[in-house]
Every structure is written in C-alpha cells, then in structure tokens.
C-alpha cells in the first residue's frame, strides 16, 4: 500500500502544472504566474484491461478509475485493476493461466512505477505467484532494490506473505503447451488419437495455431497507466511473457524504460508486443523523452515505433516488404491527461482501453504502418 504525503502531493501538482504548459511556457521564459489546468482522471491500458472481469462486475480500467476518483493512491488502484486480469484464467497471457515456457512452467514478469514518490519495483521469471504486479509493488515499497528475479523473487514473495503455488497452469494453458509440444517435438509427444486420418487433420490444425493465437497473444501482456486530478501519474505492466520461451527468458515488461517508464512531470508509457524489439530501443523511455520535448502522445508514440522500425534490420525479422514482421504497441499518457495508443501495424490488436468520466471503452490504436506484420 503506497501513500503520498502532503509535500509530495504539492510537488507533483506543481510538476503537472509545468508539464501541462505549452512547450514555450515550459522551456522558454516562464510567465510570472503559471495558470494550471487540473488534468481529469484517466486510466488507459492494453485492450485486455477492458475485456476481463474474473467473474466480477468491473474490468481493470473501470476498477482503477473508480478507485482513483474516490481518492485512492493511483498505483494501488492500477495494481488492483491489473490483478483482475492476472487472476482471470481466461487471459492466457498474464498471471494465472498465462502461457508457460518451453518446459511447461509459467514464469511471470512485472514492474510498476509511482510517479510522485519517484519509486519503482519489478520481478522477472517469477514462478508460483498469481499476481506478480503486487510482488513488484512490494519490491518497490519494501526494499532498496528495483528488480528481483527467479528463485530470489519467489523467496521474497514468500517472505512478504504471498501464497506460492506449485503450478500456475490452468487446463487451458497446459493444453495449449501440449499442442505446441506435439507440433515441435512430434516424435516424442504423440496425439493420443493417432489414427492416420485424424493425425492429418490435427497436423493441419496445429500448423495454424500460432496464427490463430495471433502474435499479440504470444507476446500478450497488460500495461495500465493512470493519472488523478492532482496530476499524480503511475503505471504497471505485467505478463507471462513470450509463449513457449526458453526458460529464464525475460522480455521488456519488467524492465524500467522498456515495458514501462514514467516521469510524473511528463507522462507514462508502457508496452505490449515483441519485447526484444522494445528492449533494444528502451522505447518507453524514448517516448517519455519525446513527450518532454513537447510532442503529443500520438506523435511521441509513433516516433518511438519509427525508431524500432529503423533498428530492425535482420532479415529474419523482416517481412516481404522489408518491414518488421512483428507487432508492438505503446500506451501513452501525458501529464495533462491527454493520451494515445499506437501500434506498428493497422491490423495488429487494433484497440486499447480507456476509462474516463464518460466510462470505459475500447478505442482504435494509431498505426505506424499499413497492413500486417506478415504481409
Ligand atoms: N512484451 C512481452 C514480452 O515480450 O515478454
């Protein structure tokens, strides 16, 4: 549980005022009196933040927005929101029931940042805890460190009172892993109903599985960022990472500057999609710096995607048009409460979630490129 004292509240409010000024006000000669417009509360997230309810009545963005507007700490509200998705077995890309690694083990990554308190925490390759975002918040609140990994992260979680489970697979995630295993290691993992005709059908069906899942699902993640009327900005990103990954692989999600970055005076940015592309460019950090230069959330995000495109030169990562053959998305919220979601392709995961005083909705992502990664 994170609380902000009065001094931090005032500093955050002043910083938000500076950021909501025009670039000439912010970087040129400041007027004697800065008239600050309070931002309205906003929560944005990847689309899964307005899809899953885990049997309850609210989605992630709805719950987070309700709590923020009731005056709760912004990060506490966002983490409570993403907990819904982490706990929901229907989202096979995050938390409990997330797609496992190549050994069939669910390994989770998460990080969070608290803008007004200038704090951050993360966990990577964590096994056995359904809500890695809450463990990341405990790292932030209860240690001097920013990132704990693997067995050390699990031992920390146990010591903090989190329940450790032997296996975070659901029947569905185990079935998906077994289908992948049969496809990639058919000599050892046989279809139990292996008459020839059926096997042909099964082989064809399995061959299309990855495209059916969609690349976004294979890299599935939730990022959620929010701001309150005092201009306090926080963010959280949580994932089971790349499906069927080499055990120990860590993507962008728990890495500050990649899966998430924010500056309370400027804005918050988080990501879903191909983590390696984002890690190479530390794109969330780059987009926050673009905001700092006065770009709009949309322009700042598209410039980040352009950097990824420019740095993607290996043939194995290019499609027939010489463009990246993967999807990656960024969710951008500035200190004035303006926001945008951007994606590499128009076809990729084409919506993101927004909750304002008008309620929650899925709205279109702004694409950098036409078509799809496979074109
Ligand atoms: N963006 C999630 C991952 O690549 O692990």
């Amino acid at each position: 549980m994170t609380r902000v004292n009065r001094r931090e509240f005032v500093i955050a409010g002043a910083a938000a005022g500076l950021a909501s000024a025009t670039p000439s006000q912010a970087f040129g000669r400041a007027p004697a009196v800065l008239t600050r417009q309070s931002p309205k509360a906003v929560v944005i997230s990847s689309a899964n933040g307005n899809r899953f309810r885990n049997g309850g009545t609210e989605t992630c963005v709805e719950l987070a927005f309700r709590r923020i507007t009731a005056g709760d700490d912004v990060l506490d509200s966002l983490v409570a929101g993403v907990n819904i998705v982490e706990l929901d077995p229907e989202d096979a890309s995050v938390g409990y029931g997330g797609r496992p690694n190549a050994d069939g083990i669910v390994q989770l990554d998460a990080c969070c940042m608290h803008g007004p308190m200038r704090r951050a925490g993360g966990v990577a390759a964590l096994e056995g805890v359904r809500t890695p975002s809450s463990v990341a918040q405990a790292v932030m609140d209860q240690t001097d460190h920013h990132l704990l990994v693997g067995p050390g992260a699990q031992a920390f979680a146990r010591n903090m009172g989190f329940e450790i489970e032997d296996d975070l697979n659901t029947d569905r995630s185990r079935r998906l892993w077994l289908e992948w295993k049969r496809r990639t290691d058919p000599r050892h993992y046989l279809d139990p109903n292996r008459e020839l005709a059926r096997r042909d059908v099964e082989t064809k069906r399995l061959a299309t599985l990855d495209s059916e899942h969609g690349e976004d699902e294979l890299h599935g993640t939730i990022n959620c960022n929010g701001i309150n009327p005092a201009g306090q900005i926080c963010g959280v990103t949580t994932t089971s990472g790349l499906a069927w990954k080499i055990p120990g692989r860590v993507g962008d999600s728990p890495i500050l500057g990649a899966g998430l970055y924010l500056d309370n005076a400027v804005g918050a940015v988080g990501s879903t999609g191909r983590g390696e592309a984002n890690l190479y460019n530390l794109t969330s950090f780059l987009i926050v710096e673009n905001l700092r230069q006065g770009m709009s959330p949309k322009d700042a995000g598209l410039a980040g995607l352009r950097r990824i495109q420019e740095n993607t030169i290996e043939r194995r990562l290019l499609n027939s048009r010489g463009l990246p053959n993967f999807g990656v998305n960024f969710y951008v919220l500035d200190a004035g409460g303006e926001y945008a979601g951007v994606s590499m392709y128009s076809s990729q995961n084409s919506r993101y979630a927004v909750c304002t005083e008008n309620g929650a909705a899925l709205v279109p992502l702004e694409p950098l490129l036409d078509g799809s990664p496979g074109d």
Side-chain angles (χ1 to χ4, degrees), residues 28-374:
R29 222 155 52 97
V33 178
L34 260 181
T35 50
R36 175 186 156 228
Q37 279 227 300
S38 293
K40 290 187 171 163
V42 181
V43 175
I44 64 170
S45 82
S46 41
N48 45 359
N50 200 35
R51 283 202 179 122
F52 297 95
R53 292 184 161 77
N54 192 32
T57 57
E58 289 176 306
T59 63
C60 164
V61 293
E62 288 170 339
L63 180 141
F65 183 82
R66 177 174 58 76
R67 285 191 46 169
I68 287 171
T69 49
D72 284 354
D73 177 79
V74 176
L75 185 58
D76 287 347
S77 306
L78 301 179
V79 170
V82 299
N83 282 170
I84 293 173
V85 186
E86 290 174 319
L87 293 169
D88 194 327
E90 293 301 313
D91 188 328
S93 70
V94 176
Y96 175 57
R99 286 176 178 75
N101 67 19
D103 288 346
I105 296 168
V106 179
Q107 281 188 335
L108 304 174
D109 304 330
C111 76
C112 61
M113 293 185 77
H114 195 288
M117 300 190 80
R118 315 296 199 268
R119 286 189 187 172
V123 290
L126 172 64
E127 297 175 12
V129 183
R130 295 186 184 202
T131 53
S133 65
S134 295
V135 185
Q137 192 179 16
V139 171
M140 182 191 89
D141 280 335
Q142 315 228 24
T143 79
D144 178 43
H145 309 312
H146 286 332
L147 183 60
L148 297 179
V149 306
Q154 191 190 65
F156 169 79
R158 182 183 288 110
N159 290 338
M160 290 295 121
F162 286 89
E163 183 186 356
I164 311 296
E165 298 179 65
D166 285 341
D167 186 2
L168 294 186
N169 277 293
T170 56
D171 287 348
R172 178 170 175 232
S173 67
R174 204 185 324 278
R175 178 178 56 75
L176 293 170
W177 177 81
L178 199 51
E179 286 174 347
W180 171 78
K181 202 71 186 162
R182 285 185 188 132
R183 183 156 40 93
T184 55
D185 189 5
R187 287 181 52 206
H188 297 105
Y189 286 81
L190 304 180
D191 175 4
N193 309 310
R194 49 186 173 274
E195 312 95 51
L196 190 57
R198 293 191 62 138
R199 191 169 62 199
D200 283 349
V201 171
E202 177 73 351
T203 303
K204 277 190 196 126
R205 191 175 72 78
L206 292 178
T208 61
L209 260 183
D210 278 353
S211 54
E212 272 172 26
H213 292 170
E215 183 177 297
D216 280 337
E217 278 192 64
L218 295 177
H219 288 98
T221 299
I222 180 166
N223 162 248
C224 187
N225 306 315
I227 186 169
N228 68 9
Q232 298 178 328
I233 302 175
C234 297
V236 58
T237 300
T238 173
T239 188
S240 53
L242 176 64
W244 339 131
K245 60 195 172 188
I246 295 175
R249 177 265 189 190
V250 172
D252 58 330
S253 299
I255 305 301
L256 304 178
L260 175 69
Y261 194 71
L262 65 83
D263 180 324
N264 203 71
V266 178
V269 180
S271 179
T272 60
R274 181 176 157 79
E276 282 70 11
N278 184 20
L279 270 174
Y280 187 84
N281 295 282
L282 288 182
T283 325
S284 291
F285 178 80
L286 174 66
I287 295 171
V288 169
E289 293 310 299
N290 290 341
L291 291 175
R292 197 189 302 279
Q293 299 307 315
M295 286 190 194
S296 70
K298 176 183 164 187
D299 290 348
L302 290 175
L305 286 170
R306 212 168 288 118
R307 177 73 62 87
I308 291 178
Q309 183 197 339
E310 286 162 4
N311 279 330
T312 304
I313 60 168
E314 284 193 65
R315 275 185 72 92
R316 70 187 177 89
L317 297 173
L318 298 173
N319 63 20
S320 59
R321 294 190 285 159
L323 298 171
N325 62 12
F326 53 80
V328 59
N329 311 313
F330 292 93
Y331 312 94
V332 187
L333 173 65
D334 77 12
E338 301 296 318
Y339 53 84
V342 297
S343 62
M344 186 63 86
Y345 284 98
S346 49
S347 66
Q348 283 295 112
N349 191 19
S350 57
R351 287 173 189 273
Y352 69 109
V354 177
C355 195
T356 66
E357 60 194 353
N358 300 320
L362 289 175
V363 298
L365 290 159
E366 304 280 353
L368 177 69
L369 304 170
D370 286 336
S372 67

